Amino acid sequence: MLLIPCPHCGPRPETEFVYGGDARVKRPDPSNSSDEQWAAYIYERENPKGQHQELWLHSAGCHLWLIIERDTVTHAIGSVRAAREDQQ
Ligand SMILES: [Zn+2]
């Protein structure tokens, strides 16, 4: 089981979180994007081996969306930050 260090609540078991997908995927601009760009946004995902940035929601805690850097081989967690910090 992963122990995820929520910046607001501290270390918590992964059962308190919901996985939200690849944190690097950016939504295309609806006014200036093709059908192919939308299809890629919706369906195409990488399956990386090693470091990966993921979105996780602390659904049983503070309800904060987090961006977690996790190694997909060892499950070691690197940096953890609130996703809203990327929007500023
Ligand atoms: Zn939390």
Side-chain angles (χ1 to χ4, degrees):
M1 176 183 296
L2 290 175
L3 193 60
I4 298 175
C6 175
H8 184 73
C9 307
R12 302 291 182 178
E14 69 177 282
T15 54
E16 292 188 8
F17 294 81
V18 173
Y19 178 72
D22 188 337
R24 299 167 302 154
V25 176
K26 300 297 180 203
R27 183 183 170 128
D29 180 359
S31 64
N32 188 18
S33 55
S34 66
D35 290 345
E36 290 77 20
Q37 288 172 309
W38 277 103
Y41 167 69
I42 293 169
Y43 296 112
E44 295 177 11
R45 295 292 183 270
E46 293 181 25
N47 187 19
K49 182 177 183 181
Q51 294 296 317
H52 189 231
Q53 288 189 351
E54 303 170 331
L55 284 167
W56 287 80
L57 172 65
H58 196 182
S59 60
C62 63
H63 291 230
L64 198 64
W65 278 100
L66 305 175
I67 296 177
I68 296 175
E69 189 170 307
R70 183 177 66 89
D71 190 307
T72 59
V73 177
T74 65
H75 300 290
I77 293 176
S79 66
V80 178
R81 65 184 187 281
R84 65 181 175 211
E85 293 173 4
D86 281 20
Q87 297 173 349
Q88 297 172 354

